[in-house]
Amino acid sequence: MSETRLREEICRYGRSLFERGLTPGSSGNISLRLDDGGWLVTPTNASLGFLDPARIARLDAGGRLVSGDKPTKEIPLHSALYETRGSAKAIVHLHSTHAVALTMLPEIDPRAALPPMTPYYLMRAGETALVPYYRPGDPAVADAIRGLAGKYSSVLLANHGPVVAGDSLEAAVFATEELEETAKLYLLLRNLNPRYLSPEQVADLVKTFGLELPSLARHEGHDHG
Ligand SMILES: [Zn+2]
């Protein structure tokens, strides 16, 4: 896909996310890794609903601004996730309500923020890590993401929002949406004793779709049967 086309894609997905209320005001940002090692990044203080393809920041492989507006101050989030997930081509970060709400609940497991509720959550978002609160733009958040060692494509920042990597912009957007909807389901069902997917059902999805879930790597050798 040409760079012109990729810039248009960022604007199109940004507008779609904004118009559905998935990230308010000038919150949220999107980045895309280009074949030459450089990136396209949405500008600082820009609403995802009103992006101009020509003003998207173009960075070189060293992270220096080549053209366009000044990039988002949340660059450290993006660079840390790209650094640890070699296959990532695009990253979406939103301030989506249900995912943010989830991060404030006391029972959340930082290595699996959501239970296995639906197959599409597991297939698109996998499992989700939760990292502690950091002030926006604090470079220490990058260390927290690096600490996950690239095992998670989706990460929640406490009291802030999700950061999700994908092997294409579409994949990253779809995974972010799946994470947000699953957080919403969790909040709807909290304390209602819902039936989640069983370990057998999860194992079947893992086998059929070749999913790489961090928890399975953690419990290597654990027999789900
Ligand atoms: Zn943010």
Side-chain angles (χ1 to χ4, degrees):
M1 209 182 280
S2 72
E3 188 179 317
T4 309
R5 184 73 197 287
L6 291 171
R7 287 171 177 270
E8 286 163 1
E9 291 278 279
I10 290 174
C11 298
R12 197 159 64 86
Y13 280 112
R15 187 168 60 241
S16 166
L17 292 164
F18 177 83
E19 285 179 347
R20 286 176 292 148
L22 289 166
T23 204
S26 65
S27 70
N29 33 75
I30 296 174
S31 69
L32 232 157
R33 190 141 70 168
L34 299 166
D35 291 339
D36 67 2
W39 328 350
L40 294 173
V41 188
T42 54
T44 186
N45 295 323
S47 165
L48 290 191
F50 305 94
L51 293 169
D52 175 348
R55 292 176 62 182
I56 288 175
R58 170 75 151 97
L59 308 185
D60 66 15
R64 284 169 295 264
L65 182 63
V66 176
S67 66
D69 289 353
K70 191 173 173 233
T72 169
K73 60 180 165 304
E74 296 186 309
I75 283 268
L77 296 178
H78 295 250
S79 50
L81 203 49
Y82 283 125
E83 229 174 83
T84 52
R85 285 190 70 86
S87 62
K89 287 276 186 275
I91 291 173
V92 174
H93 165 57
L94 304 179
H95 296 181
S96 53
T97 307
H98 301 90
V100 178
L102 183 75
T103 71
M104 297 180 229
L105 297 177
E107 74 271 23
I108 299 307
D109 176 354
R111 304 284 206 100
L114 284 160
M117 300 187 76
T118 68
Y120 281 89
Y121 167 67
L122 293 173
M123 287 153 63
R124 301 228 194 268
E127 285 167 327
T128 305
L130 170 67
V131 301
Y133 172 77
Y134 294 92
R135 170 174 45 76
D138 182 346
V141 74
D143 294 330
I145 289 177
R146 280 190 205 99
L148 301 170
K151 290 201 218 66
Y152 294 86
S153 60
S154 56
V155 179
L156 288 169
L157 311 176
N159 307 75
H160 184 163
V163 191
V164 179
D167 55 13
S168 67
L169 179 55
E170 183 184 78
V173 168
F174 288 178
T176 314
E177 293 178 5
E178 206 59 55
L179 172 56
E180 171 63 13
E181 293 306 312
T182 309
K184 187 174 179 177
L185 283 175
Y186 182 84
L187 295 167
L188 283 169
L189 293 168
R190 193 173 179 238
N191 299 329
L192 293 178
N193 198 23
R195 263 196 317 276
Y196 301 138
L197 296 178
S198 68
E200 291 73 22
Q201 288 165 334
V202 173
D204 174 57
L205 289 167
V206 166
K207 192 168 161 225
T208 305
F209 297 103
L211 308 183
E212 288 175 17
L213 301 180
S215 64
L216 297 180
R218 273 202 327 270
H219 306 302
E220 213 145 31
H222 176 74
D223 183 1
H224 282 287

